[in-house]
Amino acid sequence: MNQSMNEEINMKKKNHVFLNVGMVGLSWFIILLLGKENIKKYLPASIFILFVEKLHAAHGKKQKWWVFYNKPKSYFFGEFPYQVGPFFMLALWTLKKAYGDFKPFILLNAGISAFFAFPLTYMAKQIKYYRLNRINHVQFFFYFFYKSFLLYGFQYLIERWFSKREKEVT
């Protein structure tokens, strides 16, 4: 390999690292703006859906639904920054903004899922971050979107459980 090719690979790797750090850093900054009470209220459901996403992403990676351009076998360089950054932040944020009214919650999540599946995935391919491999954009949309029902349902069960315990105590 010649020197210019090595420099190009190193630059792409630096861009990947910069993008990953920026994605996680910005997401956690936004999480801190949600407020302590909101974080405490919605944290269990968000952790649950993060766990579901980690399992589903492991399956997707095994099935080669997507490919990361740099280090395609590295979980910490590929899926992990997205999961602990934007995915986790958006789970907390959508619960804070729309939980309690199912239709707006689902519409908000549909919009976010569509953004990730279509324009963001197109941009990621253009900058050589990741690309879809064995699924198309519509399937990728549903990959994200179905989790909104699980997120809402789990939060509902948590709140129902806490209100039941509260009634037992009084």
Side-chain angles (χ1 to χ4, degrees):
M1 224 185 278
N2 64 25
Q3 186 176 355
S4 66
M5 194 163 205
N6 279 338
E7 288 173 2
E8 186 178 330
I9 290 170
N10 286 336
M11 183 55 98
K12 287 179 185 177
K13 195 178 280 187
K14 286 178 187 176
N15 289 343
H16 253 196
V17 170
F18 179 74
L19 185 60
N20 285 345
V21 169
M23 186 169 41
V24 173
L26 180 61
S27 296
W28 278 89
F29 175 74
I30 292 170
I31 286 172
L32 295 174
L33 297 176
L34 291 176
K36 188 177 179 179
E37 288 302 313
N38 289 315
I39 293 171
K40 185 178 174 183
K41 180 177 182 179
Y42 300 122
L43 188 62
S46 298
I47 290 172
F48 166 75
I49 208 66
L50 179 62
F51 179 71
V52 169
E53 166 57 18
K54 286 183 177 290
L55 292 175
H56 200 188
H59 177 72
K61 188 170 194 133
K62 185 176 181 182
Q63 297 299 317
K64 298 180 182 167
W65 289 346
W66 53 79
V67 174
F68 283 86
Y69 285 94
N70 284 332
K71 296 192 177 195
K73 294 184 178 177
S74 173
Y75 168 74
F76 289 103
F77 204 69
E79 292 87 351
F80 183 74
Y82 163 74
Q83 291 169 343
V84 299
F87 187 84
F88 186 66
M89 179 272 300
L90 285 168
L92 284 164
W93 186 79
T94 57
L95 284 168
K96 179 192 182 291
K97 291 295 181 189
Y99 180 76
D101 200 349
F102 185 70
K103 189 175 180 182
F105 180 83
I106 291 302
L107 289 173
L108 178 62
N109 276 279
I112 292 168
S113 297
F115 176 73
F116 273 96
F118 296 97
L120 193 68
T121 296
Y122 176 77
M123 289 185 324
K125 183 178 180 182
Q126 296 301 335
I127 64 169
K128 301 215 181 297
Y129 186 67
Y130 73 89
R131 67 177 167 81
L132 298 181
N133 191 36
R134 291 188 174 169
I135 62 174
N136 62 39
H137 291 274
V138 173
Q139 292 166 320
F140 203 46
F141 165 80
F142 285 110
Y143 168 86
F144 290 118
F145 183 58
Y146 92 90
K147 294 176 188 105
S148 57
F149 295 93
L150 295 175
L151 179 62
Y152 194 94
F154 197 79
Q155 183 64 33
Y156 174 80
L157 291 174
I158 289 169
E159 290 198 5
R160 190 170 158 204
W161 183 75
F162 275 114
S163 72
K164 185 178 178 181
R165 289 195 66 201
E166 202 173 87
K167 286 178 186 176
E168 289 174 358
V169 171
T170 57

